Amino acid sequence: MSADTLQKQAGPSERNGAVRAASRFFAENGALGGLVILVVALSLMSGSFLTVTNLLNVGVQAAVTAILAFGVTFVITTAGIDLSVGAVAALSAVVCAWSATSEGLPWPLALVVALGVGILCGLVNGALITYGKLPPFIATLAMQGVARGLALVISQGSPIALPNSISHLGDTISSYLPVPVIVMVAMGLVTAFVLARTYSGRAMYAIGGNEEAARLSGIKVTRQKLITYALAGGFAAVAGIVLASRLASATPEAASGYELDAIAAVVIGGASLSGGKGTAFGTFVGALILAMLRNGLNLLSVSSFWQQVVIGVVIALAVLLDTLRRRSTN
Amino acid sequence: MTETSEARGEILRVNGLRKTFPGVVALDGVDFDLRPGEVHVLLGENGAGKSTLIKMLSGAYQPDDGRIMVDDRETSIRSAQDAQRLGIATIYQEFNLVPQLTVAENLFLGRPPKRFGLVDKRRMTADARELLDRVGVDADPGQQIGTLGIARMQMVEIAKALSLDARVLIMDEPTAVLTTTEVEKLFAIVRQLRDQGVSIVFITHHLEEIPQIGDRVTVLRDGKSVAEVPADTPQEELVRLMVGRSIEQQYPRERSSQGPPLLEVRGLTRRGVFENVSFEVHAGEVVGIAGLVGAGRTEVARAIFGADGYDQGNVLVEGARLRGGDVHAAMEAGLGLVPEDRKGQGLVLGADVQENLGLVTLGRASHGGLVDRAGQRKRAAGIAERLNVRMSGLRQEVRTLSGGNQQKVVIGKWLLADAKVLILDEPTRGIDVGAKVEIYQLVNSLTASGHAVLMISSDLPEVLGMSDRVLVMARGRLAGELDAAEATQDSVMALAVAGVESGTAHDTVGGSNVR
């Protein structure tokens, strides 16, 4: 496996190309192997796991975490961290519901306002980090408090019902296409596109890999970091709206602790907290692993207390395996 | 000389050492021996296997094949602890020091003298002072390591090795980061250690240092030990052994016709760092900047390029004033900087060759925020071929390239951007002879096509050999300008130290005079 990834001189490379390609694919997408194992194991242990209804359920459960995690992928790629996405999601959802109901804004406008709130929170994070030179951990921790607090202030502490037109976002089209899953896939494609094809995406990798080298190559690091955190905020707003629409109401306490799931998904997906590495696909797989694990443990009637233990162990294992794999290829 | 001295016995001997990494043969049969009280120089181009060899001797790698004998007994060195037990200490180019701790704490890191279970600070300070005296370095045991500067940090590393009762001291390019005076001082210490019976493995790329410090030379090429010769072997012969062919000319500078000034620097000042620096660089010209480390050369270069700000003065590119402190503007105006710290500032090590080559031109290759990836790939492939970058493909991580090839990638990204004035800060530091000549030829082709090069270098023969004009900096000021045809190492050094000796230079050379 290591010989394949580090091939420096064309060796005797003709041996069974398919196996090589497959092993290389799994070497580069270690999380995917984990997902496959998880699916097989859960299918064997529980008869109701591998059913359409349940898998759609997993998809819906994964959606919010995945959308948050896509946003966090940008940030982690630049070697930053965003602890505010859960709270920003709640704030955006609350603003959306509040402006559509109490303020009587038409629902498309309410969605735009909610998205704007998310992006604004991200920009503030970015400004604190770039102009204010705060460490990302601190800046986004502060934003977490502020956003959560504002959500409570605006909603006066209780859930606000969403207008029907918005809560359709939580529906399932013709009983096989849950809208949250569609949104998740769409946001995943956007993430993959941004990271791979756009100037900002490539700049994110460069900044995360070596910020000084990126700066000395003429990349406007400050601007790119603002864009990065704004994207994370925008994605958080989308996640918040999807979450609220599933419940048909926006709760100020919603999505609390989700930022940690999002970070876990990104890291399980092969990104490095020291920056420069990360893919949309990996993050997607990471979010699926987390959702599937929760779902499977529920099906197996494992107590929710033990579920937390298992998920903690899985996160540690995933990153441990990844580290070991990297060490063996170097 | 062989029979009699071998009878004296060797402290260390390796035979037929082999090591392969996936896809690469790093060592392919290396023989090497070390006698007590000698300085044995290891010579070879980057990628010849020097690092792999010393990593095996220090326990970082295990050989696939071959024997390592210490005191005539076969042994295996499986860890850094094993190496320490055998009395082998290695001083790498990246020091193993904790900048935030004091000199004494670093010297006794992990094994401080204890009293009643607590660290005995008084004894630690006293022991540290004794060690520092032994290598003759002027440093206070209570001083923070980070404040010492590279030369004295290196001395502290040597002191640390001695405190571990090292009998074999491996030094990986210790002179690469030192100025001429500092090198003299290092040599004095190395000779003193040698006379005390310590055996030293010395790696250097500077051929002129070999007869000054070495006793024997082992030349590695392509993972094999190709020759073992005395240190007074002529340089041409050493180069021939190292590269496997003879290099006609070490500094193949071809002067081009000069055009209008491309870069004008007027009265550039940053208080306390550099003052009133003014000069011009014309199209088709190579201007070298010589001076001691700490004279402010890198700082001026970074200020010109906008990497740092300045307090007063102007930078003009083709007559147009450049906004200070704005790298992007400098880049747009046609400046390029190949920084001194290749790995820390020049490259995204975890990214591949293509990504690194396309970094500067990323903006230009983007339309409406979208990157023209096919175009980027094509341009990267073209420049990699033109620069003869040795790699497995554009997707290879630059971390795994040799130093010379890494430097070609850094230069390549600015060539793609077609920078009119390329600022090269120590462009050939730590690079082997073959790659050096390739970089010099590149400089020639740049100036021939009407570009200009500003080259900072601590390698005096290089500055003299490759520049058309030499500026000498001392203590943050331009101490003088010499035409390269007339300049000699002595005349440059005279200017470089002149400002220092007349000034208040307690922290640079003053320190070495105290003891």
Side-chain angles (χ1 to χ4, degrees), chain B residues 117-137:
Chain B
L118 299 174
V119 174
D120 184 350
K121 268 216 140 143
R122 189 178 305 169
R123 215 182 96 209
M124 188 161 84
T125 307
D127 290 357
R129 189 159 282 135
E130 198 185 307
L131 278 169
L132 294 172
D133 282 350
R134 199 171 151 203
V135 296
V137 53

Side-chain angles (χ1 to χ4, degrees), chain B residues 337-350:
Chain B
L337 173 71
V338 174
E340 179 183 20
D341 180 1
R342 186 160 59 230
K343 291 180 181 171
Q345 302 177 343
L347 293 165
V348 182
L349 285 175

Side-chain angles (χ1 to χ4, degrees), chain A residues 111-190:
Chain A
L111 285 182
V112 171
V113 169
L115 200 59
V117 166
I119 291 172
L120 185 69
C121 290
L123 283 176
V124 172
N125 278 335
L128 288 173
I129 289 159
T130 52
Y131 298 113
K133 310 245 181 279
L134 288 189
F137 189 97
I138 301 298
T140 59
L141 187 65
M143 177 54 72
Q144 185 188 70
V146 170
R148 183 69 68 191
L150 285 178
L152 286 163
V153 169
I154 293 171
S155 64
Q156 295 173 332
S158 38
I160 309 177
L162 274 185
N164 278 340
S165 35
I166 295 180
S167 59
H168 282 315
L169 282 174
D171 290 354
T172 298
I173 301 171
S174 65
S175 76
Y176 280 115
L177 268 182
V179 179
V181 173
I182 298 173
V183 176
M184 166 174 74
V185 171
M187 297 306 272
L189 291 175
V190 169

